[in-house]
Amino acid sequence: MEGSARAESASRADSSLRAETSGLRAAQKALRDGDSARALELLGAEASRYPQGALVQERAAAQVLALCQSGNASAARDGARDFEARYPTSPLLGRVKTACAERRVAP
C-alpha cells in the first residue's frame, strides 16, 4: 500500500506541475503578444493557485517583465529588487534586472 500511495502522490505532483507549466506558458505567450494586462492576470491567478509551486521563481521573473511591458516601471523595479533578494543566483536575474531598460530601448 505504501508504494501505491507514493505513486499516487507522484502522479498528483506531476499533474500539478503540468498545470502550473501550462499557466506560465499562457502568461509568457500573452507577454510575447504584447498583452501585459492578460499576462499579469494569468500570473496572479497562478500565484493564487500555486503559491509554493515549482515555478515560483519563473513566475516572479515573468511578473517583472509584464510590469515593465505595461509601463509600470516603479512596480517593476520593486519586483526586480525583490527578485534579486530572493533569488540572487538565478539564471533569470540578468534579464529581470534589465527588463525595463530593454523596454525603453525597444521601438
Side-chain angles (χ1 to χ4, degrees):
M1 194 81 151
E2 188 174 304
S4 175
R6 252 192 312 253
E8 185 178 318
S9 178
S11 177
R12 275 195 307 262
D14 186 48
S15 177
S16 179
L17 180 58
R18 277 195 304 272
E20 188 179 1
T21 300
S22 177
L24 182 59
R25 283 184 180 151
Q28 290 169 331
K29 181 182 183 321
L31 275 173
R32 283 191 307 277
D33 292 346
D35 192 349
S36 57
R38 178 72 176 141
L40 288 167
E41 177 186 322
L42 290 166
L43 291 166
E46 290 299 294
S48 294
R49 201 172 293 123
Y50 306 104
Q52 303 299 321
L55 302 175
V56 171
Q57 185 179 142
E58 291 80 0
R59 190 171 55 240
Q63 177 89 16
V64 172
L65 299 177
L67 288 167
C68 286
Q69 190 179 87
S70 75
N72 193 344
S74 177
R77 280 190 299 273
D78 290 345
R81 280 192 292 272
D82 183 55
F83 187 92
E84 184 172 21
R86 289 176 185 237
Y87 313 107
T89 61
S90 172
L92 299 171
L93 184 58
R95 176 83 195 271
V96 166
K97 288 171 73 171
T98 62
C100 283
E102 290 171 5
R103 178 75 178 145
R104 278 195 300 272
V105 195

